[in-house]
Every structure is written in C-alpha cells, then in structure tokens.
Amino acid sequence: MLTHAKFVIAVTFTSLAIFVPRAKAADSVRPWPRFERLVPIEKWHRSDDWRNWKALHDCRLEVEGNRLVIHSSGTDPYLVTSVNFPKGHYRVTVHLANTDSLPPDFSVYWATRKESHFDESRHVFVRPSKKRRKGIAVLEFEADAPVTALRIDPMGQPGRLVLESVTVERVELFPVILDQVRQHEDRVDFDVRNASDQVVEFRNDGTVYRLESGQLLTITRPITGRHWVDDVALQIELADWPTWRTTITALAPRASQPHWKVSCGGFEWRVSHDGSAVFIYDGDILVAALAPLVRKEGQVVRGNLLRSTDRSWYFERGSVQWSIELSGDECRVQVRDERAEVEGPVVRSWGELEQGLFAGLEFLGKGERSSSKLDIETEEHVRFAPDPRCVTLPLMSFVTSRASVSLMWDTTTLQPIYATPDFFDGTDSHRMALRGKVIDACVRLNRQRLTDAIAWCVQRHGLPRLPKFPLSPRETRQLDLKGLESVAGGEGRWRHARGPRWGAAPFADMASTYWHLTGKVPPGGPWQVGGAHIPNEAIFFVTGQVDRWKASWKGRVRQAIREQGADGLYRYRGKYARGHFEDTASGYCAKRAVWLLEWAYYTGDPEALAAGRKSLDAMTRFRTPRGARTWECPLHTPDLLAAAHLVHAYVRGYQLTGHEPYLKEARRWALSGVPFVYLWGDRPVMPYATIAVYGATNWKAPNWIGLPVQWVGTVYAHALTMLAPYDQTLDWNRLARGIYLCGRQMQYLEGPSTGLLPDSFDLASQERRPPDINPCALASLQRLFEGRGDPLTVITIDGHRVVGPFPMEEREGKLVVTARPGVRYQLVIDGERVWSIDSKGRDVVSLE
C-alpha cells in the first residue's frame, strides 16, 4: 500500500480505490436505492395519548374515543406537543379518518434544544393520500440536535379533521451511499461516501475500507471493452446490514463487436448481432444509441436472433423477446417478458443539450439538468422516475447540437425514466428509458425542433375523446349565475374567489358575464377592469363607461411602453428571479406584449403596435414557456400561462400585420403548451386537465406537478381558439373544447361553492381544492363554442377601426351592428371617437 499526505491508494487485481478529500457533488441526484430500517420512537393513538397535544392557533381539540378531532376556525390552525428525541432522521406517519375531504397540504414543524422556536427552515409538508380507505400523510425530517417539540399544521381552511394516529420512527439508513458514477473510456469511477456521523468499516471486492464521517472514497472498476454494452457492479458488505449491490451499464462503442449496418433517416444504424445495443452515427460522430436494448434485473440481456429483414430484427433470450423495426426516421422497439419487469430500450443522445422534455415534469432549456432544484427545492425535485400519473403525454425528448431524439410509448402504465446528464450510468449522454413487462415504444431521430416532436406524438396518438358534462347549455348558464352568487360581495360587487380574503369590487368581468347570461345590466359601478382570467369588458360599452375603459387601457399601455427595454424585452427584479440564468423570461414579456397588441387591435394605435412588434421580434430567441406566474413561482419555472400569453400575442401580431413569421411563432408556442395538458386518463376527470407549472410555489409547496389547475388551462384554451382559424397543425378547437369541458367537470354542482371552479383538482382522489374561483372564464369559453364570439368585436371599415359589444359586419360600405333592441350602447372608432347608439336590433352606422 502506498501512502501520501493527502490520499491513500489501495490496489488489487480488479479495482482501484482512492480516498479523496472533497465534498459530495452539489445537488447530486442519486437514483440508487438505499437500505433503511425503522426504530419505533413514539405513537399517539389512544385517548390518553392525545392529552399531551395542545391547540395553539385557529383551532380547538376534542378527543372522541381513541381519535383526535381538530376543529379549525381559520386558515392557519396548528397544535403542538413536547417530546424528547435524540438528533437524527425521523419519519412521521399520520393516519386520517375523514378521507372524503383530505387537506391539500399537511405540515410538521420541529423545535430542538439548539433552536427552541418553530421556524420555516425546520418544517416539512406533504400532500396526503388515500390508502386502504384511510388518509395518510408520511413526512421525514433530519434534526441536527435533540428534538424538544413537534407541531402539526393540518390544514389551511376552516373545517373538521380527525386524526386516528400519529407515529414517529427513527430512520436508520445504510451508512455508505453512492454519491456519483463517472464513466471513462476504460473505467468506471464509483464515488462512495460515509453519510453517517460514525466511523464505518465495509468490505468491497475482498478489501476492507475504513471511512471517517463524511469521507469520500472513489472505487474504480475497469471496462473490459469486449462488448458495446457491459455490466459493471459495485458491492458493499457491512456488518448487521444486507449486502448492498448496484450494477451500471458501461458503454464501449469502439469495441469490435459483430453488427449490421443500415442507413435510415439520414443516419447510420449499427445493430449488434446479439441484440444488446444499437449505436447511431452521423458519419463518424456518435449521435444516439439504444444501449442496452433490454436490461433485466440490472443486467444487459444478450439474445439469439430469431429472424430478420434488411430493416428489422427479432431476438429472444429465456423469457424475454424483443424486436426493432426501422422505417424512415422512426425505430419501433417491442419488448415482452411475462415473468418480470425489464428496462428497455435505454435511449441515449449525445451533444450539447438545446432542449429537453419529459411531458408533465421537465421542460429544459440549453444546458439544463433534469431533477434540478431550480423549480422545486424539496425532495420532490427528484423526478427521474415519477408516478406515471404525473406524465401528461407519453413523450420524452432531447434536442442536442447533434440531433433530436424522442421516445414515445403506448401504455401509460409503464414507468418512464429521464435523466440529463446520465446520472444512472455516469456517461456523457442524455438518458431516457421505459420499465415494464410489455413495452411498445417508438424512437424518432432527426434534426427537427422539440415542438415537431410534440406534434408528432399527438398526431400519432390522436386527441382523446371529449369529456362529457351532464348539464345542457341552458342549465350550464344557470350554474354560472349561481357561481356569480357564490362570489357576490354586495350589490354590484364580486370577489375573484369565494371567501373573505378575496376583496370584493365592481369587477367588469363579472358584470359583463352577468349581462351576457341574463341580458340585464347589474346594479353597481363604476366598473373596474379585471376579476376573471379571461377578460370580458362588454359592460363598459352598454353602461356609457367607455371613457373609463379607455383610460384604464391607456394607463396599462403607457406602463408597458415605459418599462420596455431597448431590446424589446422586459426585466424582472423580484425575489423569484433567484436561480434563473437571466432577468427575463418568455411569459413575463409576453403578458406585456399582449397588453400592447390588444390595444393596437382595438384601436389601431401605432405606438402600441410598434412596441408590441418590438417585443414579438425580441421574444423569438426564447425556447421555453416560463415566467408568467411570478406572484408565487420562480421566473425560471416552465408554465402553461406563458404559452397562453405567447400564442395570444403572436396571433394578434399576425392579425394586425399579416407577417407570416408571427403565425409560425404562435404555432410553436401553442405546441409548447400541449405537454401541460393531460391527453390520456385513468380517472373520470382527467383527460384535458391542465398542469399550470412544472414546479412549486415558493420553490416548496404546493408542488403543482400532477396537480391540475384548470383556470390556467382556460386561458390557454382561449388563445388556441384565436389560433385555430389560421393553423391546422393540430385540431386546436378540439383541444380547447376538451380543456373547457374538463373545467366544467371540475365545477362545483352543489354546496356553498356551487358554480365555482376549484383552483386545483386532485386526480387520484378526484377532489376539488380551494380557493374556489368565479366561473367567468368558463362562461366566456362557452360563448365562443356556441358561436357567439368574444365579448368585444373589432372591424375595420374604410381605414377606421371600430370596437363594440355586438357582432359587426360591413354591408355596402356601411357598418351593420346586430345588437339587442332597446339597448343603448357605445362604439369606439380609432381609439378616440365614441358614438352612442340606441339600438333597433339591426343598426346601420355611417362612420363619416
């Protein structure tokens, strides 16, 4: 053994081990399972146990039998108990009795001898789930000092919650962890670390190693180079624990292995004779691989050729059968094993990452890493193998400097795997794969954009059937009226959502919706712009308040022009900029571009149009829809609202100018929004549900992945209806209608929130979650799908731009307005002149 002041080297015939004095990799993702064992510490589940718990805020406690009933009287109830636990890793399991209405979040805080107060830095939270007809919340935390108190925050609203038990266990974890795998041409480096606070001795390959707390050790294994893909294993033997073992796939594309060569889709496909791998080249440059084609129990499967053609191969080994078929730029891969789950194909892509997509979970930009903490800082940031129900569309893609590689599959029960960089095998590739017993997948390889892959997937699968809603159009309108009553805050005043925290105001969107639903002007005013997620400002035009409408819009436009940068973009300076690589984002800019272009659309204002076009031209450099929800989410976080604003802005730009590149951009951003929409479903309310963001509020909670927020979908759907007349890449109207109908399914049909749209909807439990939002966006979409158009109509006649609250058309050089008889309404001409008209039902107006 050779010693040195900074490290020790131990050499054997098969491995090399190096003690390295460096810290673990920052934000490293460890996909390898870790042994654990649970030691019971405390359990509260009998009537006498609950006496130690005290209500501290917004609640009172009552013991019923062996259960603890929490009566919440506000939005921040919590209860505490004193404990005496040593420092360590703990698991808290809470069983809930009333599973009909689980709280959206359940939190546990802890205090220690070192820090005796409760603090946000010492708390964990989880979304409770149902298990065997009971609600369950499982939370884990690490205490760096003895624990002196626990606090439970069970819910965020008034109500009743029943606890059946609270159990605390100390989690003892296998002390040696695999921090990172790094693969080289001739070897694999395994970085292992002692993650405990004690000295650990373990055996590896016959050698005993002793690691101090926190010490890192690199164990090296050779790559034989006999095959393109091979297994390299690491095994750790530790007293009183089962032997820990993991196997990674080593790549040796230069190995001399018999193979077939086929030119397909502009690339050279090299298929190994044993069916273990396919490597794909562009000349001499390695572009992608299916390597291995099949893994079973952590091992590469090598098969026997059953039959083949010039572009298809069929293999078998034991109970496993698999095949590959090449056609154009596609490769179909089928794998079947009735006995055990397999992984395959493992699809790899090389080159600098330009974009990446894991539909429902990741929307990556240039050089970004998957499962990062940029959008979620809790343990939920790890999402390389998520619950399949979080996947909105069966599609994963990598677009690199070398090629675009996409993986699509048919069975939504398969487990998808997504990692960039490849932290599974430590290669310099980007990795995606599927796990299951029966796999039918298609790999697509070309040089197209990410949005082309999205369109390809949807066109191959088709849009799902439209959701069914039990009410007739008339009954639906009555439901929306009840919804307006549910958010009423006095005569002519409404709240955005139900509850006192939402201030009531004379919102124009609600007043206009009421007028459209009833034909009557509600009492109240003067009207205030806003209130709903899809604007409806017709009320200004039928109550003589157009000047107020103009003043509000002019103020908004002046603000947008004033804040616009010289490059046409907008800069964000708030706290949610943390972690983002720049101080701007597509959605943040697009929202302001919509303001400019809407005003130009209504009035023809040249200054607003010029500023809007400046933003449209500048935003072409963006690739990811993000940054439209900076009131609660990071600027960096991919979001559907950004896609909606971008489609809206570019369609308006195209309508105003006829500039074809704007239409292409609208199409691109519409496709970018599709992966936020569920295009499959295994629950009654699921197809066409929309995910708002691939991230969490305040980087922590709620985590919105897998938790639909349909009001955001309604904004996207409205933008799609604007695009539909000009583009047929997908059936945009059908997609928009599906989103709308899914929103109708989520709408409350009874109770105090009748007619309202829940802020979010839990797919697993099919439960609605507050706050409960006004129905105006749904009502506006219903008008569109019934052919009644947007609330305001715009028409250009003889160079004049006219906006009004009724349908308008040109007849023999005259403006013809189809209005309601007896209604006095206003028109705005060129953004300045205001004409008042007493309608006769069909009004012919001369603009001279």
Side-chain angles (χ1 to χ4, degrees):
M1 181 175 290
L2 176 67
T3 62
H4 189 275
K6 291 189 177 179
F7 53 83
V8 178
I9 301 178
V11 182
T12 70
F13 289 105
T14 58
S15 67
L16 178 69
I18 304 176
F19 291 90
V20 185
R22 65 170 183 266
K24 68 183 181 72
D27 290 341
S28 59
V29 178
R30 306 181 190 90
W32 311 280
R34 187 180 179 188
F35 293 141
E36 66 175 38
R37 54 193 179 200
L38 300 176
V39 180
I41 298 295
E42 187 73 79
K43 185 172 184 177
W44 296 271
H45 65 113
R46 293 187 295 262
S47 58
D48 290 343
D49 299 339
W50 299 116
R51 307 297 179 189
N52 296 322
W53 287 88
K54 306 298 180 185
L56 281 196
H57 192 262
D58 274 1
C59 67
R60 64 179 179 86
L61 305 181
E62 179 184 6
V63 177
E64 289 184 356
N66 288 321
R67 297 174 172 180
L68 180 67
V69 181
I70 304 169
H71 298 276
S72 171
S73 57
T75 59
D76 188 23
Y78 51 83
L79 52 153
V80 301
T81 188
S82 298
V83 298
N84 184 18
F85 304 154
K87 71 175 184 178
H89 190 118
Y90 290 95
R91 177 174 298 169
V92 180
T93 303
V94 182
H95 284 101
L96 309 170
N98 51 334
T99 58
D100 290 339
S101 181
L102 292 177
D105 294 296
F106 196 99
S107 299
V108 168
Y109 290 73
W110 66 97
T112 68
R113 289 183 190 170
K114 188 164 61 175
E115 295 178 280
S116 59
H117 61 286
F118 294 111
D119 186 83
E120 290 296 320
S121 64
R122 292 185 306 285
H123 100 286
V124 288
F125 42 84
V126 72
R127 186 187 307 167
S129 60
K130 287 185 178 180
K131 186 177 182 180
R132 297 176 184 174
R133 298 184 180 180
K134 291 186 178 182
I136 186 170
V138 181
L139 309 96
E140 292 193 16
F141 66 88
E142 185 84 30
D144 61 359
V147 181
T148 58
L150 290 180
R151 170 180 141 186
I152 287 178
D153 289 36
M155 56 211 300
Q157 65 277 333
R160 182 177 185 270
L161 193 67
V162 181
L163 305 189
E164 286 198 340
S165 66
V166 176
T167 304
V168 179
E169 299 164 299
R170 188 172 71 248
V171 182
E172 293 184 351
L173 297 170
F174 193 73
V176 179
I177 66 172
L178 177 56
D179 241 2
Q180 188 178 11
V181 174
R182 291 171 289 118
Q183 194 168 144
H184 308 277
E185 189 171 341
D186 60 343
R187 71 185 192 280
V188 177
D189 291 340
F190 295 93
D191 292 343
V192 299
R193 180 169 55 88
N194 178 4
S196 74
D197 56 3
Q198 305 291 324
V199 175
V200 170
E201 285 189 356
F202 68 91
R203 184 182 297 273
N204 169 258
D205 199 25
T207 301
V208 176
Y209 298 98
R210 177 185 172 89
L211 291 181
E212 301 290 335
S213 175
Q215 189 173 10
L216 191 71
L217 168 70
T218 298
I219 298 176
T220 295
R221 290 284 183 267
I223 297 176
T224 64
R226 291 192 297 267
H227 302 96
W228 286 351
V229 290
D230 220 334
D231 302 313
V232 177
L234 174 70
Q235 182 169 296
I236 296 176
E237 300 171 40
L238 191 66
D240 300 326
W241 285 91
T243 298
W244 185 89
R245 177 185 173 89
T246 192
T247 304
I248 65 100
T249 301
L251 306 182
R254 297 183 183 179
S256 180
Q257 182 167 349
H259 61 276
W260 297 281
K261 288 184 180 180
V262 177
S263 179
C264 191
F267 298 94
E268 182 181 87
W269 296 64
R270 302 179 187 179
V271 183
S272 66
H273 283 184
D274 63 2
S276 62
V278 178
F279 280 83
I280 307 153
Y281 289 83
D282 181 6
D284 295 328
I285 299 174
L286 179 60
V287 171
L290 284 59
L293 269 166
V294 184
R295 289 179 89 232
K296 182 177 180 180
E297 297 174 349
Q299 309 291 312
V300 174
V301 180
R302 306 184 195 281
N304 302 308
L305 182 68
L306 296 178
R307 65 185 186 278
S308 67
T309 68
D310 60 342
R311 289 176 182 263
S312 62
W313 300 266
Y314 301 82
F315 301 93
E316 183 179 55
R317 180 64 180 268
S319 61
V320 188
Q321 295 179 328
W322 70 100
S323 64
I324 58 174
E325 302 173 3
L326 299 179
S327 177
D329 61 358
E330 297 180 5
C331 174
R332 185 181 184 187
V333 180
Q334 293 179 292
V335 185
R336 178 181 293 271
D337 189 338
E338 299 293 353
R339 297 182 183 175
E341 184 180 88
V342 297
E343 182 179 40
V346 178
V347 181
R348 303 178 187 273
S349 173
W350 279 269
E352 295 181 14
L353 184 70
E354 299 293 335
Q355 279 190 287
L357 177 70
F358 187 3
L361 295 114
E362 304 270 16
F363 207 130
L364 304 176
K366 187 177 180 66
E368 292 190 321
R369 304 167 66 95
S370 60
S371 288
S372 79
K373 291 186 176 180
L374 292 174
D375 307 305
I376 306 172
E377 292 182 345
T378 67
E379 291 303 312
E380 291 182 327
H381 79 93
V382 178
R383 49 195 185 272
F384 57 80
D387 180 344
R389 193 175 278 141
C390 292
V391 178
T392 55
L393 180 69
L395 176 68
M396 298 184 284
S397 292
F398 293 119
V399 178
T400 73
S401 54
R402 299 184 187 180
S404 172
V405 184
S406 299
L407 175 61
M408 179 182 70
W409 59 100
D410 288 331
T411 306
T412 52
T413 56
L414 295 177
Q415 176 63 68
I417 312 294
Y418 189 86
T420 176
D422 172 20
F423 43 73
F424 280 83
D425 303 310
T427 71
D428 59 351
S429 69
H430 317 283
R431 186 187 194 274
M432 50 191 172
L434 298 168
R435 292 177 186 165
K437 288 186 176 180
V438 180
I439 298 170
D440 190 349
C442 187
V443 180
R444 189 180 193 229
L445 178 66
N446 54 37
R447 295 182 176 84
Q448 296 181 352
R449 279 180 154 182
L450 178 61
T451 47
D452 295 307
I454 296 169
W456 164 73
C457 182
V458 177
Q459 289 163 355
R460 285 284 298 266
H461 277 276
L463 294 173
R465 291 181 179 178
L466 292 175
K468 295 187 181 299
F469 185 60
L471 302 185
S472 68
R474 181 179 176 278
E475 291 170 327
T476 302
R477 287 191 284 274
Q478 290 301 312
L479 180 64
D480 290 340
L481 277 174
K482 290 181 179 178
L484 288 177
E485 293 175 8
S486 297
V487 292
E491 188 174 82
R493 300 170 67 85
W494 297 267
R495 306 179 193 277
H496 173 70
R498 181 173 171 267
R501 63 172 284 201
W502 306 93
F507 286 123
D509 296 341
M510 284 77 156
S512 300
T513 301
Y514 181 88
W515 176 66
H516 278 132
L517 291 172
T518 66
K520 301 175 183 178
V521 172
W527 307 117
Q528 175 181 317
V529 168
H533 293 114
I534 298 177
N536 184 341
E537 297 166 352
I539 195 70
F540 289 104
F541 289 75
V542 295
T543 58
Q545 297 183 41
V546 156
D547 286 338
R548 186 175 178 83
W549 174 80
K550 287 169 54 183
S552 178
W553 265 101
K554 286 181 177 180
R556 182 184 293 177
V557 168
R558 282 195 299 269
Q559 177 187 346
I561 292 174
R562 184 172 62 253
E563 294 177 355
Q564 189 178 52
D567 58 358
L569 301 179
Y570 293 86
R571 264 63 195 181
Y572 174 76
R573 310 295 185 191
K575 69 175 184 178
Y576 292 108
R578 174 163 59 87
H580 193 36
F581 56 84
E582 59 180 341
D583 59 359
T584 187
S586 57
Y588 188 75
C589 295
K591 180 178 180 179
R592 288 143 184 85
V594 167
W595 294 348
L596 295 167
L597 294 162
E598 279 297 285
W599 184 243
Y601 178 70
Y602 288 145
T603 66
D605 186 300
E607 186 180 11
L609 177 59
R613 294 197 65 174
K614 189 175 181 180
S615 286
L616 293 180
D617 295 338
M619 291 189 300
T620 57
R621 73 174 180 86
F622 293 122
R623 291 291 176 267
T624 305
R626 56 164 53 114
R629 291 170 57 91
T630 50
W631 66 85
E632 65 173 352
C633 291
L635 185 69
H636 176 273
T637 302
D639 74 75
L640 178 59
L641 194 59
H645 291 332
L646 287 154
V647 175
H648 189 147
Y650 278 104
V651 171
R652 280 291 187 248
Y654 176 70
Q655 291 172 328
L656 287 163
T657 67
H659 189 51
E660 284 292 333
Y662 291 162
L663 181 58
K664 292 180 179 178
E665 287 295 293
R667 178 189 306 120
R668 176 168 73 91
W669 290 114
L671 288 168
S672 296
V674 172
F676 293 85
V677 184
Y678 276 97
L679 297 186
W680 70 283
D682 62 357
R683 306 293 292 155
V685 181
M686 186 172 175
Y688 296 99
T690 57
I691 298 302
V693 296
Y694 292 176
T697 294
N698 294 316
W699 293 276
K700 296 185 184 300
N703 175 6
W704 299 106
I705 292 175
L707 183 61
V709 178
Q710 207 65 11
W711 73 257
V712 176
T714 65
V715 182
Y716 175 62
H718 181 256
L720 295 184
T721 65
M722 295 171 61
L723 174 65
Y726 308 104
D727 181 75
Q728 286 75 49
T729 302
L730 298 180
D731 189 342
W732 300 118
N733 270 326
R734 181 183 177 87
L735 180 57
R737 186 183 289 269
I739 293 168
Y740 157 74
L741 288 171
C742 184
R744 286 296 188 190
Q745 288 183 317
M746 295 178 186
Q747 201 172 9
Y748 291 89
L749 299 182
E750 58 186 10
S753 292
T754 296
L756 302 185
L757 178 67
D759 181 66
S760 60
F761 188 89
D762 187 278
L763 294 176
S765 66
Q766 296 283 282
E767 292 177 346
R768 296 159 177 83
R769 295 187 171 182
D772 302 326
I773 300 169
N774 72 81
C776 296
L778 291 173
S780 291
L781 287 176
Q782 182 175 355
R783 283 179 51 81
L784 285 172
F785 295 127
E786 290 177 349
R788 291 184 287 156
D790 274 317
L792 296 180
T793 303
V794 177
I795 191 171
T796 301
I797 298 179
D798 291 336
H800 296 292
R801 203 162 193 86
V802 185
V803 58
F806 294 109
M808 297 183 289
E809 60 181 330
E810 181 183 5
R811 288 284 181 89
E812 299 178 355
K814 301 284 188 179
L815 173 65
V816 179
V817 183
T818 304
R820 295 179 186 173
V823 173
R824 183 176 178 83
Y825 64 93
Q826 293 175 304
L827 301 177
V828 179
I829 298 94
D830 299 328
E832 294 299 334
R833 287 187 292 162
V834 177
W835 286 13
S836 296
I837 299 170
D838 293 312
S839 179
K840 298 180 176 59
R842 183 177 175 82
D843 306 314
V844 180
V845 182
S846 174
L847 299 180
E848 298 302 324

